[in-house]
Amino acid sequence: MPIDRDADQQQPAARSPGGDELERALRQLRFGIRSRLSARSLDTADLPELFATLRRRFGTLGMTAGSVEIDDFGMDDRTLARATPILDFLGDHVFRIETLHADALPETALFVANRAADWPHGGLLLAHWLARSSPGRPRPRFLCDGEFAARPFVAPQLTRLGGVRAHPENALRLLRSGRSVIAFPGVAGASPGGPSGLGSFGRGGLLRTAAKASVPIVAVGMVGPESLVPQPGASGWGLPTPWVIAFGEPLHCSPDAAGDELWLARSTESLRRQVGEKVDEARARALRR
Amino acid sequence: MAEARSLAITGLGNPVADRFARRLLEGAPSLRVIGLGQRMPAGLRGRIELVAVDPGASGCGADLEAALRRHEVDRVLHLPFEVAPGETFPEGEGWLARAAEQVAHASARAGVERLVVLSSTMLYGACTTNPAFLGEGQRLVGHPGSAWLRDQCRAEEMIARAALANAAPAVTVLRHPWLMGRGVRNAIALYFASQLVPIPLGYDPMLQFLHPRDLQDALESATFDAPRPGVFNRVPGDALPLSRLLALAGKQPLPMPRRGLLSVPGAPRLGRGDESPAVFYDFLCAGWVADGERAAETFSPPIYSTREAWAAFGAAHGRA
């Protein structure tokens, strides 16, 4: 059946009193759209320019010609500068990040947080929050799971935004150069009260790395990142919930401790417990919000 | 340069060995240089004596030893790893390992004081599990699809065993990344010389490029300065993402899915020309940046950064 485009104009009596204004607005909108479409017809388009633009866009698909300010791990200052307003918006307005005990954090530290989610967005936003709270210091770097650090399209972007593949040598090099590192050991989505707790924190690798670099370790409990990511057993996507990040007391490690297996084993267990306590504290705070 | 009396080079015919031989002839005309192999580049004929022996042929250890003794060689440079594009090689897989083993043992028996071996940081492999900087102690895995790299991994193993078994010579192994600069001739330089560069879609690895001069300096230092036994990554101090390098040289990247890349005519083939292009493209997907701190402390630090080496190449083939 053919559509009568001006049928609405032919039946004014059926409209409500406010309908006239709406009708007029719609007519203007339609006129505007049609006039714009006709002005940008293919007859007048600059096809060589369009081709050059498309070629340039396609040529940099998944890449960027970025700035020269690229550090040894591939972090790109220009990409970060572009992402900063988005990260600010996410942190301040979407996730409404709240921190606990963040007033006396060491300048360089190995932050060990619970792995709230498999995705690296927790690390990205925590690194951004730490960078924002201590301007002038080198930006903290977050360690990414090997799976994400190898994924096409994702891996280059994470690298430019400060992500580093989770590897003890990477962490040690960063810490020795005065950059803080955020690590996420354990099992994704696990909770301290769950059947397996937070999962294994390894055999002292984190403590050994911090000891070798002579930097303190700070336990971090994060609540919130898990809400955005589909969890095992759950269906669909969650809505963003407010994040709470609770920091622990810095645990100082001396280089001599790197070879003390007993100390490493005990301290790893103590660190795991402390991260669990911080998660509980952050969760309690989140429930009160 | 030199208390060295006589020096032998294997691998003449490839660009690195040729360039180093020329440099020696110009810098130390009194030094006696012999070539061990079956090829002699035209420019070196009459200036270097070629001892026609195939270091990788089975059972040629005695011939090698005799040649080293006869010419009273006290320094050996084993440089057959590099390959000039377009050259054909009758040798099959295992040649590099056999050559390394026989040269190392023959050098020990002939009383050679120093053996310098050229290798590559490609032997670490382009693995997604690699740390951002690969130290010399990293396990050598090469590439599962590359007989050339597999062979070189075994060659390094043979060299290491020979070094353990014999008190002399002092063995120095120099691993270098892809070479880049004006006048570099290899499959990688040819690939990057084109204006439209097909690259793997969705990847942007950090890459290191060493200027040939820095490699030559390290070879010279390892050969003539105080002995520095061990394995060293001769790499520049920096690395840059592929996208940035292409932009610097004014190249147009053409990201393509893997299947498309492999069907591009003229896709680069590493090694002796018989490697699948997939091997090369894998080195453009994952990082294999090496840590050159130890080499920079032992030898002089490289003069050229990756960016400068790339710029020297780009000046000839682009706008960098």
Side-chain angles (χ1 to χ4, degrees), chain B residues 43-115:
Chain B
L44 293 173
R45 278 188 198 128
R47 302 168 74 190
I48 288 182
E49 183 182 341
L50 181 72
V51 178
V53 56
D54 179 356
S58 296
C60 81
D63 296 341
L64 281 170
E65 183 188 343
L68 295 173
R69 282 189 191 281
R70 192 167 59 248
H71 290 87
E72 295 179 332
V73 171
D74 52 5
R75 311 281 155 99
V76 173
L77 277 105
H78 185 54
L79 316 174
F81 177 68
E82 290 292 323
V83 182
E87 286 201 39
T88 53
F89 293 85
E91 303 97 357
E93 186 177 352
W95 187 91
L96 286 171
R98 272 197 310 278
E101 184 182 19
Q102 296 186 135
V103 166
H105 285 295
S107 299
R109 289 195 301 268
V112 170
E113 291 169 16
R114 210 172 298 176
L115 171 63

Side-chain angles (χ1 to χ4, degrees), chain A residues 55-56 58-68 70-74 146 149-154 156 159-160 164-165 167 169-170 173, chain B residues 128-135 138 196 199 201-204 206 237 239-244 246-248 252-256 291 293 307:
Chain A
R55 203 178 72 155
R56 196 171 55 246
F58 180 70
T60 53
L61 197 61
M63 306 172 77
T64 177
S67 57
V68 186
I70 293 167
D71 81 350
D72 48 350
F73 282 84
R151 202 169 277 182
F153 298 103
V154 178
T159 303
R160 285 174 207 136
V164 176
R165 188 183 170 273
H167 195 288
E169 287 179 30
N170 289 346
R173 194 179 181 100
Chain B
T128 53
T129 53
N130 281 344
F133 293 90
L134 297 154
Q138 184 81 16
L196 190 65
I199 54 166
L201 178 67
Y203 294 95
D204 192 14
M206 301 284 280
L240 282 175
L242 173 62
S243 58
R244 184 65 198 149
L246 294 177
L248 281 170
Q252 175 65 45
L254 180 63
M256 295 175 76
D291 181 1
E293 214 166 286
R307 188 188 160 87

Side-chain angles (χ1 to χ4, degrees), chain B residues 266-279:
Chain B
R269 293 173 183 275
L270 294 177
R272 316 212 143 196
D274 53 356
E275 303 278 310
S276 161
V279 175

Side-chain angles (χ1 to χ4, degrees), chain B residues 194-218:
Chain B
S194 57
Q195 195 54 34
L196 190 65
V197 184
I199 54 166
L201 178 67
Y203 294 95
D204 192 14
M206 301 284 280
L207 292 176
Q208 278 174 319
F209 286 110
L210 184 69
H211 195 278
R213 186 184 158 180
D214 285 321
L215 181 60
Q216 300 287 329
D217 286 350

